């Protein structure tokens, strides 16, 4: 499959048309942003790792019965995916308090929840992706009640599968962000699953004040060792 015209350029990926109107090619870049684009940088090799890792995760989730947009990996950075219409919600699942949750509710990072939580942000850069609830999403016409129900069930199923998967790699899955899309009347898991979109902590360090981040927090918080953290997660995934 060949790249045709560029349809879109986002913060971390470009999207190209293909000869098949049902498919697009996503091309992963090394560019990194944080804090709604205020912090910018490059994480060398990130695009290759995120492309391959996200495809592995999508394939793993498909096997568990979760429908995704993934079609075929073309190269180190390029992947064919189904051309979905993105539901403008960032769906965040959390197992342990961190980041904005800790800040918003005054809960120390590393506090484990008795059950996972879900929250939605309205995907809108101008507004800074504000936190919203189901009723707001309905009122804004972002998704139907049925779609929201499907998205919640799928997101928790993804969490169950990913917790188990990463446990085997000695990684605790703290939280992550998912995006979903509509394709021929069905809701599919879309976007990416990578250290850009998940918090991965070295196993067993979540209940200490000195957790070890293997994810984009190393970039956001200037912790150093950003590239090495991405490489380490990838090594545990693939042995490479
Ligand atoms: N996240 C993301 N994109 C965003 C916001 C958050 O992928 O625009 C991910 C982030 O990597 C983390 C989870 O969602 O794994 C929860 O992030 P949080 O709400 O704590 O926000 P942050 O502290 O990153 O601003």
């Amino acid at each position: 499959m060949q790249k045709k015209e560029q349809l879109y350029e986002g913060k971390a990926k470009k999207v190209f048309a293909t000869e098949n109107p049902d498919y697009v090619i996503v091309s992963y870049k090394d560019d990194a942003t944080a804090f709604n684009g205020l912090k910018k940088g490059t994480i060398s090799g990130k695009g290759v790792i995120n492309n391959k890792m996200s495809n592995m995760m999508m394939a793993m989730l498909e096997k568990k019965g979760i429908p995704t947009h993934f079609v075929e990996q073309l190269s180190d950075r390029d992947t064919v995916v189904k051309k979905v219409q993105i539901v403008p919600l960032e769906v965040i699942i959390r197992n342990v308090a961190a980041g904005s949750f800790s800040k918003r509710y005054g809960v120390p990072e590393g506090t484990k929840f008795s059950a996972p939580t879900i929250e939605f942000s309205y995907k809108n850069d101008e507004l800074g992706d504000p936190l919203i609830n189901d009723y707001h999403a309905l009122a804004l016409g972002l998704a139907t009640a049925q779609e929201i129900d499907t998205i919640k069930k799928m997101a928790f199923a993804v969490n169950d599968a990913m917790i188990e998967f990463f446990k085997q790699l000695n990684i605790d899955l703290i939280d992550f962000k998912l995006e979903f899309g509509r394709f021929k009347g069905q809701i599919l898991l879309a976007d990416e699953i990578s250290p850009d979109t998940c918090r991965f902590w070295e196993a067993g360090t979540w209940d200490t004040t000195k957790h070890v981040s293997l994810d984009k927090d190393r970039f956001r918080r200037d912790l150093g060792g950003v590239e090495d953290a991405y490489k380490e997660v990838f090594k545990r995934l693939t042995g490479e």
Side-chain angles (χ1 to χ4, degrees), residues 8 11-13 54 58 61 66-70 84-93 119-125 129 151 154-155 158 176-182 187-194 196-197:
Y8 171 80
K11 292 171 194 139
K13 298 186 279 291
S54 193
M58 296 284 174
L61 294 166
I66 296 159
T68 80
H69 71 164
F70 176 62
V84 301
Q85 181 196 29
I86 288 284
V87 176
L89 291 173
E90 297 200 336
V91 180
I92 293 172
I93 295 275
E119 70 203 42
F120 298 121
S121 292
Y122 175 23
K123 244 175 92 69
N124 183 316
D125 282 339
D129 297 340
I151 285 171
M154 283 173 67
V158 169
F176 56 95
K177 185 261 306 181
L178 300 175
E179 294 184 26
F180 293 86
R182 304 179 181 98
I187 292 284
L188 302 181
L189 178 62
D191 196 49
E192 69 177 279
I193 298 178
S194 72
D196 273 16
T197 64

Side-chain angles (χ1 to χ4, degrees), residues 45-130:
K46 170 173 88 81
V48 175
I49 287 176
N50 286 9
N51 179 41
K52 293 182 179 175
M53 172 169 174
S54 193
N55 294 342
M56 286 180 69
M57 300 312 299
M58 296 284 174
M60 183 276 287
L61 294 166
E62 287 272 359
K63 276 199 199 144
K64 303 256 176 195
I66 296 159
T68 80
H69 71 164
F70 176 62
V71 178
E72 180 195 7
Q73 185 170 302
L74 290 181
S75 66
D76 274 3
R77 289 179 187 271
D78 293 352
T79 291
V80 183
V81 298
K82 289 174 183 159
K83 187 180 184 185
V84 301
Q85 181 196 29
I86 288 284
V87 176
L89 291 173
E90 297 200 336
V91 180
I92 293 172
I93 295 275
R94 300 177 190 271
N95 298 304
V96 175
S100 68
F101 185 98
S102 290
K103 209 168 163 188
R104 185 176 302 119
Y105 302 118
V107 181
E109 289 202 300
T111 307
K112 195 176 193 306
F113 303 140
S114 52
T117 68
I118 191 165
E119 70 203 42
F120 298 121
S121 292
Y122 175 23
K123 244 175 92 69
N124 183 316
D125 282 339
E126 267 172 50
L127 300 176
D129 297 340

